[in-house]
Amino acid sequence: MKKISNIFKYIVFMALALGLIWCIYYLVLGICDPEQSGYATNMSQLIVSVLTVISIIFAFFEFLRDKPGKDE
């Protein structure tokens, strides 16, 4: 379970880093081409939504791995 958690942690960090790069790209696209700002905003919202779901799944997996009540 710990090995899976470590692998999943690196996958999540990589996804967050890629999401940051793509959001910066769409920010620059919206600034440079105002006609594309609606598209850039929608794509950024989609990226953030997907990354939020991935982060929630990772947090839930970590919660299960720590097994609450183990200290008792």
Side-chain angles (χ1 to χ4, degrees), residues 26-50:
Y26 285 118
L27 175 66
V28 171
L29 177 67
I31 291 170
C32 292
D33 189 3
E35 293 175 358
Q36 295 285 331
S37 64
Y39 171 73
T41 301
N42 290 337
M43 288 303 293
S44 294
Q45 287 175 352
L46 178 64
I47 291 168
V48 170
S49 298
V50 169

Side-chain angles (χ1 to χ4, degrees), residues 12-68:
V12 169
F13 285 141
M14 186 180 68
L16 290 172
L18 287 173
L20 176 65
I21 292 168
W22 277 105
C23 284
I24 290 171
Y25 166 76
Y26 285 118
L27 175 66
V28 171
L29 177 67
I31 291 170
C32 292
D33 189 3
E35 293 175 358
Q36 295 285 331
S37 64
Y39 171 73
T41 301
N42 290 337
M43 288 303 293
S44 294
Q45 287 175 352
L46 178 64
I47 291 168
V48 170
S49 298
V50 169
L51 292 176
T52 301
V53 170
I54 290 171
S55 297
I56 290 170
I57 292 169
F58 177 70
F60 183 70
F61 186 77
E62 285 294 310
F63 175 76
L64 289 178
R65 187 179 71 96
D66 287 340
K67 295 186 182 177

